[in-house]
Amino acid sequence: MPRILTRENAIRWAPFLVLLALIVLFTALNPSFLSQRNFARIAIAAAPALMVAVGVTFIIVMGSIDLSMEGVVSLTAVLFCFLMLALGGTLASGGWIAIPVILTVGAAIGLVNGLIHVKLKIPSFMASLALGFVGTGAAILLTGGDIVKFNDPTFRALLTWRIFGFPLMVYVAGLCLVLAWFIQAHTRLGRYFYAVGGGEDLAHASGVQVQRVRMAGFALAGLFYAIAAILQVAKLGQAESVTGSNFMFMSITSVVVGGVALWGGIGGVWNTLVGVLIVAVINNGMVVIGLPDFLQAAVLGLLVIIAVILSTDRRSVAFVK
Amino acid sequence: MSTFIKDYIERETINRRNFLLATAAGMGAMAVPFAFGGGAARAAINDPAIAWSYRDRASAYWNSIVSGGEAFVESLGKPKESLVSLINEGSSEKSLADIKAFLAKTNGKCAIACDANDSPNARPVVEAVRDAGAYISTIWNKTDDLHPWDIGDNYVSHMTWSDEKPAEQTARILFEAMGGKGGVVHLGGIAANNPAIERLNGLKNALKDFPNIELLDAQPADWDTTKGTELMASFLTRFGDKIKGVHCANDNIAYGVIEALRAEGIEDMPIVAYDGNPEAVKLVMDGKLLATVFTNPHWGGGITAALAYYAATGAFKPSEEPKEHREFYGPTVLVTNKDAADFKAKYLDSVPAYNWKDFWGPSNGQIKYK
């Protein structure tokens, strides 16, 4: 029988244990934390963030970084609302066409991001950060700084229609997560992400077309950012040029807290799920236990550091940059 | 086309207007000293360039400020593009650097309207403007020890909005809708922001008259819709049915609160907000919001530019004005279900044409310091 309590297992399960510990802690301080209603609230908060984080997971596994999410989410959210309104303002009247169109737009922006990074040989953080600004700028230009409301009740069923107490958007996010896991575990592209992240030269020498893999990775990330944008519109009933703000910190923190290594090759979408839940639970829990607001940012920072310490195998890291 | 060439052509084409304006300004300057029994010479600038220095274009508020500035320059017979936007993107360093660049470019022959981004930045900004011999009017941010009359005529005026009283009014409307009892939560702006502090103080003032209303908690939602939904959801877990009403520091937060409640199937919670954005006014008309407060940014944007401009042209001399014309509160209009339709027709459906020489008509008295 293989030993269960190995060091590897401990590290693999550490993020999950951190999540459980947080739930126990917050429940001990306020029992109403541990209620189905509250878990639904945490799930609603986490669903769009999870999609952004899943998108960037692929990039981080490749050993690159993508910082364009705020701009891409804002731009695709705004375009989505405009397109929906132009197509009659309801899902039923042909507005559903907006969904595949916006997913394509998201993937296309991601692809442009990848092209700039790969073809012009600009570091991914710089290329993506710049493209993110372009996205935010385009969203401001389109909206003129105003809010675009989109309140079709059929579409808003993503938020208001509940199955087993959880709104529809949580299941949509769940399905997309399973899709992401499938890409990661059962496609050639998914395996190439790990190959490139684990050792680019080696992957290249083994015949992996690294440049294409990178571009595909960025396009895939853009697709998930567009899904996040649609869920965010479903959650808020509106889009504006700041719809995507805060997603950068939230998603990259979640990915790292969940145990995906920033140097690439380690972790995957399940880590990301746990990481997103940890951050969402901390944010919700701090209010639920009544922590004074001036302590919240500091506590969030400390808990993130602790979670990263517990969930990374620092012995296997040669250097940290 | 380079801005230099463009500026040159513009200068040449509007020479005639310059001549007329200069004549008018000169005559005014000649007439006024006699009225006051003679005195200091006027420092009139012919056709000063006009700039607005502000945070960003990503919000309805600042867009409205700029639209007022544009309406003002159009009232001078200039194209609206002649209003120069100095966008500081929330950086005080950039705010000061942009203003210094504009002063250098125009050689001090300019009038600037400005929100200095944060309070400490107001002093270096107005001092740079004074040293260049230009004119500036500010809104919102300045420290309490900085006064236009201490700097001189070049620092024309400062306008801010006292949010305490209107926030107290919205709180009273909220408490009455709650039947005078039950728990209330406050979702605030960025904790250190002046308006956020004042709006919470307004709520606390109203609480004194309602002993059966309990303030369950007040936390910052950073003026943000997403933060508003998530904070409200957490409040629902913590307080549940004890929450009978919600006091929001601005409209954006209220949009988030409404969505957090919609997710739970709660449709009739009394909520009040602040800012009087068009979407919020519509929510007031639909009965989703009890009240919001309009601060008329369009007028604020126009009049601030107008004050700096007319002081620069010598149309009036700031130091001859009383203190309540140098530091004053901007207008606030409470919008409730009763008057929302009228309000919308008057302020939102069509923008009123303001007389940009009626500098202090709609203002709300001299600023009081605590």
Side-chain angles (χ1 to χ4, degrees), chain B residues 43-273:
Chain B
I45 300 173
N46 286 334
D47 192 32
I50 310 166
W52 236 115
S53 166
Y54 57 97
R55 180 153 348 123
D56 59 33
R57 301 263 359 197
S59 84
Y61 180 82
W62 289 112
N63 282 334
S64 196
I65 287 273
V66 175
S67 76
E70 288 172 350
F72 163 66
V73 297
E74 282 177 331
S75 79
L76 298 172
K78 294 166 182 259
K80 65 182 181 185
E81 291 77 27
S82 65
L83 178 77
V84 177
S85 276
L86 305 173
I87 300 175
N88 61 42
E89 288 160 4
S91 153
S92 299
E93 290 74 23
K94 188 167 188 306
S95 153
L96 181 58
D98 284 355
I99 285 170
K100 282 185 172 166
F102 187 69
L103 291 168
K105 184 185 163 214
T106 57
N107 204 13
K109 295 189 189 316
C110 61
I112 299 171
C114 167
D115 171 27
N117 185 57
D118 65 22
S119 309
N121 190 41
R123 186 176 287 278
V125 163
V126 297
E127 285 177 353
V129 171
R130 177 197 60 196
D131 295 347
Y135 290 79
I136 186 166
S137 288
T138 55
I139 65 168
W140 286 119
N141 282 296
K142 80 167 182 60
T143 48
D144 288 355
D145 64 341
L146 177 70
H147 304 289
W149 48 81
D150 291 337
I151 301 289
D153 280 349
N154 298 85
Y155 187 4
V156 181
S157 64
H158 179 76
M159 171 162 51
T160 193
W161 281 260
S162 170
D163 293 346
E164 213 164 293
K165 202 80 200 162
E168 185 181 327
Q169 281 174 304
T170 62
R172 285 175 193 280
I173 290 168
L174 177 70
F175 297 163
E176 268 150 33
M178 290 161 63
K181 59 180 192 296
V184 64
V185 288
H186 171 83
L187 291 90
I190 293 170
N193 282 181
N194 224 19
I197 296 165
E198 289 191 353
R199 290 172 197 184
L200 178 57
N201 282 345
L203 170 71
K204 287 179 177 164
N205 289 346
L207 275 171
K208 288 174 196 153
D209 294 340
F210 289 82
N212 296 326
I213 300 254
E214 184 194 359
L215 177 60
L216 298 168
D217 198 5
Q219 296 226 2
D222 302 350
W223 312 118
D224 182 69
T225 306
T226 310
K227 188 91 194 284
T229 45
E230 276 149 30
L231 184 56
M232 190 63 211
S234 305
F235 274 153
L236 284 171
T237 300
R238 185 161 151 219
F239 300 114
D241 295 340
K242 275 165 96 184
I243 303 176
K244 301 291 182 204
V246 187
H247 190 263
C248 303
N250 80 344
D251 292 340
N252 286 350
I253 296 171
Y255 305 149
V257 167
I258 290 170
E259 295 310 322
L261 294 170
R262 186 194 301 256
E264 309 280 336
I266 304 170
E267 295 284 346
D268 50 0
M269 178 80 76
I271 308 166
V272 292

Side-chain angles (χ1 to χ4, degrees), chain B residues 295-316:
Chain B
T295 53
N296 205 345
H298 179 84
W299 181 80
I303 210 67
T304 306
L307 279 162
Y309 178 85
Y310 285 116
T313 60
F316 77 101

Side-chain angles (χ1 to χ4, degrees), chain A residues 11 13 23 27 85 92 114 135 147 209 224 241 283:
Chain A
I11 284 158
W13 289 97
I23 293 173
T27 307
L85 293 172
I147 295 168
Q209 290 189 305
F224 275 93
S241 50
N283 274 326

